[in-house]
Amino acid sequence: MKNPNYIIRTTLAGLLPLVAGVALFGQAVAQPADDEPPAPPPAAVVTGTATSAQAQADDQGEDVVVLEEFTVKTSKEESYIGATTTAGTRVVADILDLPFSIQVLSKDFIDDFQLLDFEEQAAYIGGMTPGDPATGTPSNSLRGYGVPVFRNGFRRTQRPESNSIRQTEVIRGPQSALFGRTSPGGVVNMLSKQPQTKFKTAATAIYGSYANQRTSAYVTGPLIPRKLFYRIDAEYYDMERNTDYWFDRTFNLSGSVIYKFTADTALTAEFEHTKKFMNDSSVGGYTIDRSADPLYEQFLADPLNADYAQHSPYWRRVALFDYDNTAVRDRLTSFNAAGTERRTTRENDSFYLKLEHRFAPDVSMRVNFGYSARDFLQHTLSSLSIWDPDWQASYNSAYVPSSDHSDGNWGLQSGKWTQNDNITPAYPGRRTQALHFDYDYKEYGFQIDFTKNWRTAVRQSSLLTFDYFREKSSFRQWYLRGDPTATTGRNSALREALATMLGYPGAAQLPNDIWSAYVTPDPFHLDTVLPLPGGRTITAGALYSLTPPYDSAAYPWTPRNAYDDVARMYSNIYDMDRLTYGALLSHQVSLFDDRVYLIGTLRQDFSEVERRIPYDWVVAEHARAQAAHPQIDLGTPIDMENPASAQIVKVGRENTGNTRAMSYSAGVSYSVLRDKKLIAYVSYGKSFDPEMQVDPFTGEIFGNRTATGVDAGLKGILRAPGGIVLQYEVAVFKITEKNAAVRNPLWEDNSNLANEVEDLAELPAYYVPVTSKGNGMSIDIKGDNFFTPGLALNGKIDWLDKTYATYPGRDDPTQPQYRVGGRFTNTPARSLGVGASYKIQSGPLKSLKFGLSHTYTPRRLMTYFDPATTSALAQDARWLPRQSLWGAFVSYPRRFGKLFVLFQVNAKNLFDDMTITPASYMPNGREITGQVTVEF
């Protein structure tokens, strides 16, 4: 990695000519007379003394205002319309002035419909496809692309909890010129809650269906009037789902203090602590394999015979959620194959320090420091590769009678009939490993922004930014292997551990029926009683959940180096160090009485990456395990006599690379009708992703994934007597992504191919470039007192077409490209999200508020159809059924002197219209929650 002096010199050298050019341009414009005040800045940059604004905030008990150019104003109470944002310029701007497509959900809308997770909020943001609220997987996408999340301008690996966030901003389209590392679809920036100028405290309790409970509280106010302000927020929630044993228990604590040295100088310190404790196992079951195929018997005898390829599909499958036997379907989708003892812990601690200072009425500075430490721990049994009770019945008919499975054979997760090359009928789909993961992340960031308002006749301003971001991560995995027939050696480690837990002398003495019930649990017969030594018994449900603790003295845990799969070895255990630093210059001009607004941004970024396989650690850890368990031959940690393994270790001991990228954006907006009734805009931008990929076999480091995009649209705000306000936007876009890397198709069905190739340098793991194209349209509408006083509305409708422009061929990456023109997965062709509420304005029920929401996505592709695959049961595409979900709420506030109380009831999935979630969970049915908030 480069030293800091080199970084500063390189960045300055790249941007100094640009700074000089802007300065000359500013001086070239006619200046006002010396006794005239400087022209106010463009609408996107609000400057001047903060004294009057702060005095007003003090009187009203609002958020502390330091420098107005850096302080976002959230929407006023009882409003679904966002106010200002920093997403388009890094400084405060009116959303309507910017020639970009930006969306902000108001706090009032989020609170009304209890959109407590970002996945729930995403359903109402134009261009976004939400992930699964239970896990965030698949991840949220924006215009069909994964979307990075920032907090106060710093990228975060673990997304902040909503309890600590006051506003979420979404800027759509390629915008690396502003944020550096971004996605072609855009970026999400979350802003922390701020201290307020008057004392205020509140507590909220939410209880509801599926034993869900959430408790939160905050306190804020001044410690020293007009000088020192504080805020503390805390939240704990316990969520459950229809999936067996699933839970999510999360604690979040955040706080901040602001000290105002003067009206023009302030220091803000902030922290956030989050700990999630979960049993988050997903079902992974997508198909039911029927036995109606005429080739059924032949296929059972030889499932990998290529002669059956002509009968496509030669194994008739139906999506699990489309299966007509609802009892079987619902049981399989709710079955947790990892059992009761799976545990996942996600812990994150973040700290931020911000200094704001105004040097002069037209020159300001903001300096930000950020640090985050994240730990991820997971202890679990592997998921089922296959689920086939008929084959299990043939192995142990007394345990699972075949007559109980007249509905056919089920395929979970992979949907394949066998795993790898194992076709032993006695051991169908199975859990083959106990796993322990330990991932650590450290993120460091620094930003400094300078704003300048030029003393010219033309209203213009400039922003100069320098930033630095570094992420260091470490990935470690351990496992206990449990191959079905092994009773000795490294492949018997899981069986040995189970024998120890149940009181058997060793793996060889563990009865086959016990072992079979453990590795192929039957979700329909978990109450079956099985005998143990000494007259003891155990139920099948208790048995299959047994997970050996991560105790290296008691059990032979070894590094998960994928001895039999060197292609996977490279991705299990490694260290990563990423560094990105750069600078941007943005210039904004307002013309013709603010009817024309122009902005241009140019950014230079430098990125470096180091990736290492800790070979010495793997060898030492394996030796330690072998020494602790001499009775088991754990083999060699890495077979260095295998040319493929040796090549991976040689390449992977250290991969380093660096690259640089210039990105830009430019836009213009024109107020067709005055008072922002109708604004036309167009913008063009570029994005890049510096997270370079390293090929484990060739050592090649792929450069940045880049994208360009154009946005055009109409937006505005309409006002009428009686407080009627309607804000709207219609945006069309086109995006082209380039230089994306995908796994070499030759590897997709043969993960052991590396063992058959002497020189892996001739067989790269990745293939580039892959390009994609996306285009579509979004309509967003927000309204207050819409048609009638008290009626508020927030809605969006999207159309999206995202397809592959190039893709490697199956047998020869340079030849026929079978996915070209095909849609991306999890990108619905259209989607709808709308919520409306009405507040009674007078009478005995005055202030009673109720609302209705609806989200809709049509059937969408989740797993690609692969006509060239060599796997029999991987040929079918998997589609997620259409989702049409309704929600509702009713709330009633009461005030008793200084005490404010809110009673609220919410309903989600009102008509129980969901068969499976995007992450393949058994969905929760109708959910009813009650809420009480007390504030004073």
Side-chain angles (χ1 to χ4, degrees):
M1 293 292 177
K2 302 293 191 304
N3 62 56
N5 289 333
Y6 174 86
I7 293 173
I8 295 172
R9 289 198 307 271
T10 305
T11 306
L12 286 174
L15 276 186
L16 276 177
L18 300 175
V19 176
V22 170
L24 290 173
F25 173 78
Q27 296 300 319
V29 182
Q31 298 191 10
D34 291 341
D35 58 348
E36 293 180 3
V45 181
V46 183
T47 61
T49 177
T51 305
S52 59
Q54 185 59 65
Q56 182 181 6
D58 290 347
D59 293 339
Q60 298 179 0
E62 296 178 348
D63 290 349
V64 175
V65 176
V66 181
L67 301 187
E68 289 184 292
E69 54 267 45
F70 298 128
T71 303
V72 169
K73 296 179 181 179
T74 56
S75 58
K76 63 184 180 68
E77 291 187 5
E78 306 297 333
S79 174
Y80 283 2
I81 297 178
T84 59
T85 178
T86 62
T89 60
R90 292 177 70 110
V91 292
V92 173
D94 188 315
I95 294 173
L96 293 176
D97 289 331
L98 298 175
F100 308 114
S101 183
I102 298 175
Q103 288 298 309
V104 172
L105 283 186
S106 76
K107 182 179 182 299
D108 207 50
F109 180 77
I110 292 172
D111 290 344
D112 281 349
F113 291 97
Q114 282 191 4
L115 308 177
L116 303 177
D117 296 301
F118 185 62
E119 285 75 19
E120 295 177 311
Q121 299 171 23
Y124 300 91
I125 297 174
M128 293 207 73
T129 301
D132 193 306
T135 62
T137 303
S139 61
N140 301 302
S141 65
L142 182 55
R143 293 182 170 176
Y145 296 92
V147 55
V149 173
F150 290 72
R151 179 179 183 135
N152 301 327
F154 290 104
R155 184 153 177 169
R156 283 278 297 266
T157 300
Q158 181 167 319
R159 190 177 64 237
E161 290 293 315
S162 61
N163 184 60
S164 65
I165 298 300
R166 64 185 169 120
Q167 179 162 298
T168 299
E169 310 170 336
V170 179
I171 179 169
R172 301 182 285 204
Q175 291 296 333
S176 281
L178 290 170
F179 290 92
R181 309 167 58 185
T182 61
S183 159
V187 65
V188 173
N189 186 37
M190 297 183 173
L191 302 179
S192 302
K193 289 181 177 178
Q194 293 285 95
Q196 294 188 344
T197 57
K198 288 189 176 181
F199 174 79
K200 192 175 184 180
T201 185
T204 297
I206 301 175
Y207 295 90
S209 308
Y210 301 96
N212 289 343
Q213 53 183 299
R214 184 182 296 254
T215 305
S216 62
Y218 75 87
V219 59
T220 184
L223 291 174
I224 302 176
R226 299 186 183 275
K227 280 288 185 181
L228 182 62
F229 308 87
Y230 74 97
R231 182 183 182 106
I232 297 176
D233 291 84
E235 180 179 55
Y236 174 80
Y237 60 83
D238 187 347
M239 300 169 54
E240 296 184 9
R241 297 183 67 90
N242 260 335
T243 303
D244 296 348
Y245 320 123
W246 193 98
F247 66 82
D248 177 359
R249 298 165 188 160
T250 297
F251 173 72
N252 177 257
L253 178 67
S254 63
S256 61
V257 294
I258 297 178
Y259 183 76
K260 300 190 67 174
F261 297 94
T262 68
D264 295 325
T265 305
L267 182 68
T268 302
E270 178 187 341
F271 77 92
E272 182 195 19
H273 168 75
T274 303
K275 184 172 183 179
K276 299 179 74 69
F277 184 61
M278 310 173 70
N279 181 337
D280 58 342
S281 179
S282 63
V283 175
Y286 305 134
T287 61
I288 292 180
D289 301 320
R290 301 175 185 254
S291 58
D293 195 293
L295 298 176
Y296 174 68
E297 295 298 333
Q298 297 95 313
F299 182 69
L300 285 182
D302 189 4
L304 298 182
N305 191 326
D307 292 340
Y308 297 120
Q310 58 182 318
H311 304 281
S312 178
Y314 54 83
W315 187 246
R316 302 192 187 282
R317 306 199 310 170
V318 62
L320 184 60
F321 35 76
D322 288 334
Y323 192 41
D324 52 8
N325 187 320
T326 56
V328 172
R329 180 195 69 196
D330 291 348
R331 181 66 198 107
L332 290 175
T333 52
S334 63
F335 178 60
N336 185 338
T340 62
E341 297 182 17
R342 175 186 170 107
R343 294 294 182 266
T344 299
T345 302
R346 293 181 172 91
E347 191 164 1
N348 187 91
D349 292 288
S350 296
F351 304 90
Y352 303 93
L353 192 64
K354 177 174 64 177
L355 174 66
E356 297 172 80
H357 178 68
R358 179 178 290 115
F359 297 98
D362 55 356
V363 179
S364 302
M365 176 193 72
R366 174 179 58 189
V367 181
N368 271 326
F369 298 89
Y371 170 78
S372 292
R374 182 194 179 212
D375 295 318
F376 173 89
L377 292 172
Q378 189 172 87
H379 192 73
T380 184
L381 295 169
S382 59
S383 298
L384 285 168
S385 308
I386 309 298
W387 172 244
D388 173 24
D390 284 345
W391 273 0
Q392 182 176 349
S394 67
Y395 175 65
N396 184 3
S397 58
Y399 174 55
V400 187
S402 58
S403 59
D404 289 343
H405 301 285
S406 57
D407 294 285
N409 304 298
W410 295 267
L412 290 187
Q413 191 169 343
S414 69
K416 299 179 180 178
W417 193 253
T418 61
Q419 182 181 26
N420 295 330
D421 59 352
N422 188 314
I423 57 173
T424 306
Y427 296 94
R430 60 200 184 277
R431 301 180 302 180
T432 58
Q433 300 172 4
L435 303 167
H436 184 79
F437 305 132
D438 187 350
Y439 301 158
D440 295 317
Y441 304 81
K442 299 289 186 295
E443 298 170 339
Y444 317 80
F446 166 81
Q447 300 169 341
I448 181 168
D449 298 304
F450 296 97
T451 65
K452 166 65 177 176
N453 297 305
W454 299 95
R455 297 172 59 88
T456 64
V458 175
R459 300 180 61 184
Q460 55 182 316
S461 64
S462 297
L463 170 72
L464 177 64
T465 295
F466 301 90
D467 52 32
Y468 169 99
F469 182 82
R470 188 172 188 177
E471 177 187 358
K472 302 181 72 173
S473 50
S474 172
F475 301 85
R476 299 292 185 266
Q477 298 184 14
W478 295 260
Y479 68 166
L480 298 171
R481 289 196 58 129
D483 282 5
T485 58
T487 56
T488 60
R490 60 189 295 274
N491 291 337
S492 69
L494 180 57
R495 186 164 183 161
E496 186 79 22
L498 181 64
T500 301
M501 296 176 74
L502 294 177
Y504 291 94
Q509 289 74 40
L510 182 70
N512 281 343
D513 59 343
I514 298 293
W515 177 240
S516 176
Y518 183 69
V519 297
T520 58
D522 176 10
F524 298 96
H525 297 83
L526 295 180
D527 56 350
T528 301
V529 178
L530 301 171
L532 294 176
R536 296 176 296 129
T537 60
I538 189 171
T539 64
L543 173 66
Y544 99 93
S545 290
L546 291 176
T547 305
Y550 178 66
D551 183 345
S552 57
Y555 305 104
W557 290 93
T558 57
R560 192 179 179 220
N561 56 13
Y563 178 90
D564 295 331
D565 184 356
V566 293
R568 192 177 303 147
M569 177 179 70
Y570 187 79
S571 62
N572 287 345
I573 299 173
Y574 63 94
D575 298 316
M576 183 75 79
D577 190 351
R578 300 184 188 275
L579 171 63
T580 303
Y581 56 94
L584 73 87
L585 179 63
S586 180
H587 194 68
Q588 307 153 50
V589 179
S590 183
L591 303 170
F592 307 114
D593 296 327
D594 296 337
R595 295 192 68 176
V596 176
Y597 175 76
L598 302 97
I599 181 171
T601 304
L602 190 63
R603 181 183 178 96
Q604 177 69 57
D605 275 282
F606 304 85
S607 57
E608 302 177 20
V609 62
E610 293 182 3
R611 191 185 194 282
R612 298 186 181 92
I613 293 180
Y615 174 75
D616 295 337
W617 178 88
V618 172
V619 173
E621 190 76 0
H622 188 278
R624 181 194 57 76
Q626 184 65 82
H629 303 278
Q631 76 280 12
I632 303 176
D633 181 7
L634 297 177
T636 57
I638 300 176
D639 184 7
M640 294 299 290
E641 295 184 1
N642 183 315
S645 300
Q647 170 75 2
I648 288 181
V649 172
K650 175 184 176 182
V651 170
R653 282 196 181 220
E654 181 173 353
N655 295 120
T656 61
N658 61 81
T659 186
R660 63 181 61 192
M662 179 73 75
S663 53
Y664 51 85
S665 67
V668 57
S669 63
Y670 172 62
S671 183
V672 181
L673 300 178
R674 292 187 179 277
D675 299 325
K676 302 181 183 180
K677 294 184 178 68
L678 176 63
I679 299 173
Y681 71 91
V682 62
S683 63
Y684 182 83
K686 179 181 179 181
S687 74
F688 81 101
D689 185 351
E691 295 189 358
M692 297 172 286
Q693 298 189 63
V694 184
D695 195 292
F697 308 139
T698 66
E700 180 182 0
I701 296 180
F702 304 120
N704 300 317
R705 181 181 61 147
T706 63
T708 56
V710 60
D711 273 72
L714 300 172
K715 56 183 173 180
I717 187 165
L718 305 176
R719 304 178 188 275
I724 298 175
V725 182
L726 176 66
Q727 181 176 300
Y728 65 92
E729 179 177 3
V730 179
V732 295
F733 65 90
K734 185 175 183 179
I735 299 172
T736 301
E737 178 196 34
K738 299 179 180 179
N739 204 40
V742 296
R743 191 173 183 184
N744 189 332
L746 294 175
W747 289 94
E748 289 193 10
D749 292 306
N750 192 352
S751 58
N752 284 317
L753 189 59
N755 296 322
E756 305 169 9
V757 179
E758 292 187 2
D759 187 1
L760 285 179
E762 298 179 358
L763 190 65
Y766 292 102
Y767 178 85
V768 292
V770 170
T771 61
S772 66
K773 294 182 179 181
N775 55 80
M777 182 172 72
S778 296
I779 299 176
D780 299 271
I781 298 177
K782 304 177 191 296
D784 292 335
N785 300 311
F786 192 60
F787 290 121
T788 185
L791 180 62
L793 173 71
N794 184 102
K796 67 101 178 191
I797 184 169
D798 296 319
W799 292 266
L800 173 63
D801 181 22
K802 181 188 173 188
T803 58
Y804 289 101
T806 64
Y807 200 89
R810 166 66 59 181
D811 299 319
D812 182 351
T814 65
Q815 294 302 316
Q817 302 171 341
Y818 65 91
R819 289 191 185 178
V820 172
R823 291 188 63 86
F824 271 59
T825 58
N826 197 31
T827 55
R830 63 188 183 280
S831 61
L832 169 74
V834 61
S837 67
Y838 178 70
K839 185 174 183 179
I840 297 176
Q841 302 295 297
S842 60
L845 296 179
K846 181 181 179 180
S847 298
L848 179 70
K849 190 176 184 180
F850 52 89
L852 193 66
S853 67
H854 178 54
T855 62
Y856 172 82
T857 53
R859 182 173 178 261
R860 63 186 187 266
L861 182 69
M862 300 300 289
T863 302
Y864 229 97
F865 171 76
D866 189 349
T869 181
T870 59
S871 171
L873 294 178
Q875 295 193 27
D876 294 344
R878 182 177 71 86
W879 295 78
L880 190 69
R882 73 104 174 94
Q883 295 182 356
S884 179
L885 305 179
W886 292 84
F889 82 91
V890 59
S891 64
Y892 186 56
R894 293 297 305 271
R895 184 171 292 279
F896 306 92
K898 292 185 177 181
L899 181 66
F900 173 84
V901 182
L902 175 70
F903 304 93
Q904 182 166 319
V905 176
N906 284 74
K908 298 182 180 180
N909 194 8
L910 191 59
F911 301 107
D912 197 8
D913 187 19
M914 196 174 188
T915 54
I916 198 164
T917 73
S920 300
Y921 284 96
M922 174 71 174
N924 287 353
R926 183 183 303 105
E927 295 184 70
I928 307 295
T929 58
Q931 171 185 332
V932 177
T933 296
V934 179
E935 179 183 290
F936 59 89

